[in-house]
Amino acid sequence: MMDMWKSATDSFACMCVLLSMLAFPITGQAQSSRGDSLQPALPVDVDFLFNYYEQEGVHSAVTGGIGSEELTDFASQVHVFAPLDSFQALQVQASLNHYTSASTDRIDSYVSSASRRDSRTSLVMGYQQKDRSTPLTWGVRGGMGIESDYFSSSLGGTVDWSPVNGSRSWTLDAQAYWDRWIVIYPEELRELGLVSVPTDKRRSYSLSFTLNQIINPRLQASITGAWVLQQGLLSTPFHRVYRTPSDSLPTIERLPTSRFKFPIGIRANYFAWDFLVLRGYYRLYLDTFDLLAHSMELETPIKLGNAFTIAPFVRYHIQQGSKFFAPYQEHDPSSAYYTSDYDLSGFSSTKWGAQITIAPAFGLMRFRSSPRKMGMFRSLDLRGSRYDRSDGLNAWTLSLGMNWQL
């Protein structure tokens, strides 16, 4: 608990530093670009998110599909949206994670950077512009992330067509990631030099589209589809695999060096009454690892007065396992690819919980952030959930979100 509290305070301090470095300079630039014109200053939105996650299970991939999956993760994120004028805006998103994992502590017997405790940081910056004569908005973004055993860079872009008085809008999004790993093998295999992987790089490319449609005054719906290609190191080299009971030593996880993913989702919001909304979601997922999954979710936000909303939700997921998966010591020795990672197995899961939102019309708290400008916290979200999987993995999550407007 002390470690968790230290991670939380460290993350909060880092987020405050990032906010002071990123939000206020952007705010100043936005104000100076408008000068002393009569155009009112556009607000800068800053969103904070703090998330605590804890899980336990008995199918660790690091130890071949058996062993503790105990893990805790504290994540913090700040997102700044700063309009430069009525048509342009800058966006900055910074994230920081601290986690501890009992399973990765079994990679070796040494205190290594890839063992037990680790941190992950990422930064994404973007620019958005709305066309002055058409309902077209486009944006570009770039980012990077770093952890003890990998470095990632990314580049993406979005095009949105949203007529002001129309009932239909389209969004097209493209994203590319370039990752490079420090390859780490299990201790006993590393010392003997028995294993290797063909590359330490991974490339991921995605193209997605979303269609939003207002069907009638009470019903809105959207459909989202994507095409994803991954190439390079798609396995995790420190995941052990015990193929048969006769193996004296494990080997490492082996997976193909390319993978296609095809998710498609449908979402519908029905405004049943002024105080109740029914939100339904369904997603179909399939890929070239022979994974096939169905996810269904229902959320029911209920307004309790002008400032309070409670939204219980439940999600059900069922998955057909990959052709490369088998449990501990149950693999076909002649197979070229194999894994005992239960994330690629067949299972069903449920996730349920609720979110409480406090959002008064005039904000939660006002304070003066500069001689010319008054800032305020606009909303507060608290979300809790429980996750249970049929293979014995269970987890719970607690999240806190805050919106700050300058």
Side-chain angles (χ1 to χ4, degrees):
M1 182 62 70
M2 290 300 295
D3 289 340
M4 181 190 74
W5 177 249
K6 184 178 185 300
S7 296
T9 54
D10 289 347
S11 297
F12 182 78
C14 289
M15 290 300 103
C16 290
V17 170
L18 286 167
L19 177 63
S20 64
M21 293 172 62
L22 301 173
F24 291 116
I26 291 174
T27 305
Q29 293 170 12
Q31 290 177 353
S32 64
S33 68
R34 290 188 287 267
D36 296 324
S37 68
L38 298 178
Q39 180 181 357
L42 297 174
V44 174
D45 274 315
V46 183
D47 290 302
F48 296 94
L49 177 64
F50 303 95
N51 183 80
Y52 178 74
Y53 172 85
E54 184 175 304
Q55 76 171 35
E56 58 183 8
V58 294
H59 292 296
S60 168
V62 176
T63 48
I66 58 174
S68 174
E69 294 179 273
E70 181 183 348
L71 180 144
T72 62
D73 181 271
F74 189 91
S76 48
Q77 184 180 102
V78 59
H79 180 266
V80 181
F81 182 85
L84 301 177
D85 53 36
S86 299
F87 299 94
Q88 303 177 87
L90 298 178
Q91 299 183 64
V92 179
Q93 181 176 295
S95 303
L96 176 64
N97 292 62
H98 295 288
Y99 71 84
T100 64
S101 171
S103 62
T104 55
D105 197 37
R106 298 299 185 92
I107 298 172
D108 56 39
S109 57
Y110 309 106
V111 181
S112 66
S113 59
S115 180
R116 186 134 192 109
R117 301 173 189 272
D118 209 345
S119 296
R120 180 187 303 112
T121 59
S122 67
L123 177 67
V124 178
M125 304 185 70
Y127 170 79
Q128 177 181 298
Q129 179 169 311
K130 177 176 172 51
D131 190 84
R132 295 174 183 267
S133 58
T134 68
L136 178 68
T137 301
W138 62 269
V140 293
R141 61 189 179 273
M144 62 181 62
I146 188 169
E147 199 173 340
S148 64
D149 60 345
Y150 89 99
F151 175 79
S152 175
S153 58
S154 65
L155 187 65
T158 301
V159 177
D160 182 84
W161 181 273
S162 301
V164 175
N165 298 318
S167 60
R168 181 179 299 172
S169 65
W170 295 85
T171 301
L172 186 67
D173 186 271
Q175 182 78 38
Y177 290 93
W178 297 271
D179 304 330
R180 185 163 189 172
W181 297 82
I182 298 174
V183 178
I184 299 172
Y185 302 112
E187 177 184 12
E188 65 273 31
L189 302 177
R190 183 192 323 151
E191 294 178 348
L192 295 173
L194 298 176
V195 290
S196 63
V197 292
T199 181
D200 61 354
K201 300 178 179 65
R202 177 185 300 174
R203 305 289 182 259
S204 302
Y205 309 97
S206 67
L207 181 65
S208 65
F209 75 90
T210 301
L211 167 64
N212 292 288
Q213 177 73 50
I214 299 176
I215 298 174
N216 59 51
R218 289 187 177 272
L219 181 61
Q220 299 178 5
S222 67
I223 181 169
T224 300
W227 173 88
V228 182
L229 169 63
Q230 291 184 303
Q231 293 179 315
L233 182 59
L234 305 187
S235 62
T236 304
F238 57 75
H239 284 182
R240 294 175 177 87
V241 174
Y242 294 85
R243 289 181 291 180
T244 67
S246 61
D247 286 345
S248 58
L249 279 175
T251 187
I252 61 172
E253 179 180 82
R254 301 284 185 183
L255 293 171
T257 56
S258 65
R259 183 182 190 182
F260 288 95
K261 302 179 180 181
F262 308 98
I264 185 167
I266 300 173
R267 188 181 300 275
N269 297 334
Y270 182 72
F271 297 83
W273 292 279
D274 291 341
F275 65 91
L276 175 65
V277 181
L278 302 178
R279 294 177 177 170
Y281 176 70
Y282 168 77
R283 189 186 79 148
L284 171 67
Y285 171 90
L286 65 158
D287 66 20
T288 52
F289 283 10
D290 274 3
L291 276 180
L292 174 64
H294 304 271
S295 302
M296 293 147 281
E297 183 173 342
L298 177 64
E299 184 176 4
T300 57
I302 304 169
K303 294 199 67 171
L304 305 175
N306 294 326
F308 293 88
T309 302
I310 183 169
F313 62 87
V314 62
R315 180 178 184 270
Y316 179 73
H317 176 87
I318 186 168
Q319 175 173 300
Q320 171 186 293
S322 168
K323 59 186 175 183
F324 308 127
F325 171 83
Y328 178 75
Q329 295 185 343
E330 295 185 22
H331 285 272
D332 181 353
S334 63
S335 297
Y337 303 113
Y338 34 81
T339 177
S340 291
D341 184 350
Y342 273 72
D343 288 345
L344 297 177
S345 70
F347 62 81
S348 62
S349 66
T350 56
K351 183 178 181 180
W352 55 272
Q355 176 171 310
I356 298 173
T357 300
I358 306 173
F362 299 102
L364 292 168
M365 182 187 303
R366 291 176 177 267
F367 53 93
R368 191 169 295 279
S369 58
S370 72
R372 298 176 54 192
K373 198 172 182 68
M374 182 73 76
M376 67 175 173
F377 279 106
R378 291 180 56 86
S379 64
L380 181 70
D381 298 303
L382 183 64
R383 185 180 181 94
S385 65
R386 168 75 180 188
Y387 176 80
D388 294 289
R389 209 159 80 175
S390 57
D391 63 5
L393 180 71
N394 55 73
W396 63 273
T397 305
L398 186 63
S399 303
L400 173 66
M402 296 181 289
N403 176 259
W404 179 20
Q405 189 174 87
L406 292 172

